[in-house]
Amino acid sequence: MNRRVHKWVVTRRSSLPAGAACVVANGVRESLAALFAAPVELHVFEPSIPRLCAWPTLLRDALLYRVRGSVADAVVVLRPGDAATLAAALFGEPPSRANRRLSPFEHDVLDRTIARLAAHLGSVCGTRESLGAERIERIEGLATYFELSLLQPVVARIGIALTRDPSSQPQTRIEAAHLAEIPIATRARLDLGPVSSRTLAALAIGTMLPVPPDELHRCTLVAFGRALARGACGLAGGRRALRIDAAGDL
């Protein structure tokens, strides 16, 4: 038998759900379709954690826009050729992928466009701390990255980077106070003590079983088959009531 041993490599995988990236992509697609006044087709690349040596290549000469969020900061990455293509398309001009300097007007239009797209980043960065997108010169400490690849009506890529990868641990905890208003069906169960088999065999609808008053303290409060409290049952204000003498694990 011919057996081959393949080299194995251990790499970190992003914990950012692909569905969260798709939510961003869908919002970006709709916003760009409104700006271009034309249908937009795009593909989403799966979120990943690039190696440290890859970040300089991803960010080289790119326009960077930071959006501060409650979970992480998101950074929109536009490399020179993609920025020129988007700027030309926004002005209704033929696509241009030349690494040229953008005019002040093109910069202003791109700034407004990215600010509009930033409204859809909540699914990856949490609640935004501001409504705008801050243009920055450089940033370090990025973790997760994915791209939106535009195919129609222009060909360009928009990168989305995050300052931290989402934790797989729960971010919030449920406290007892959160459950305080939830109604729970309970039953009061009274232990009548030993009963003869003849008495049990004679039970029928409407049978009256005598309960001595001194036995009323043997009542148990039960919910979903578990005893929650023990005490004496009776009447209070014309309603059935239970005076709790002990609670907890019974």
Side-chain angles (χ1 to χ4, degrees), residues 67-74 122 124-130 164 171:
V67 179
R68 298 184 183 273
S70 59
V71 175
D73 288 356
V124 296
C125 70
T127 304
R128 293 184 299 151
E129 296 182 1
S130 63
R164 64 184 296 269
Q171 298 296 320

Side-chain angles (χ1 to χ4, degrees), residues 25-153:
N26 186 60
V28 169
R29 178 181 59 81
E30 292 181 355
S31 292
L32 290 178
L35 292 172
F36 294 149
V40 172
E41 179 182 355
L42 61 78
H43 287 174
V44 185
F45 286 86
E46 183 178 1
S48 63
I49 299 182
R51 296 182 178 180
L52 291 178
C53 59
W55 284 110
T57 301
L58 292 173
L59 305 180
R60 183 177 298 127
D61 298 327
L63 289 177
L64 305 177
Y65 297 86
R66 178 166 56 190
V67 179
R68 298 184 183 273
S70 59
V71 175
D73 288 356
V75 178
V76 180
V77 180
L78 280 181
R79 287 185 283 275
D82 299 315
T85 298
L86 285 177
L90 291 169
F91 278 97
E93 300 174 355
S96 172
R97 296 195 59 83
N99 293 339
R100 58 180 177 82
R101 294 179 61 87
L102 300 179
S103 70
F105 292 106
E106 290 176 319
H107 268 300
D108 182 64
V109 169
L110 275 181
D111 292 348
R112 294 173 181 269
T113 300
I114 298 304
R116 185 166 177 174
L117 302 184
H120 306 292
L121 295 176
S123 63
V124 296
C125 70
T127 304
R128 293 184 299 151
E129 296 182 1
S130 63
L131 298 179
E134 171 192 8
R135 198 200 303 180
I136 57 177
E137 294 296 328
R138 56 176 299 178
I139 189 170
E140 297 179 355
L142 295 174
T144 304
Y145 183 79
F146 66 95
E147 283 189 343
L148 311 179
S149 177
L150 297 178
L151 303 178
Q152 292 290 341

Side-chain angles (χ1 to χ4, degrees), residues 149-160:
S149 177
L150 297 178
L151 303 178
Q152 292 290 341
V154 295
V155 177
R157 290 194 178 188
I158 301 174
I160 308 293

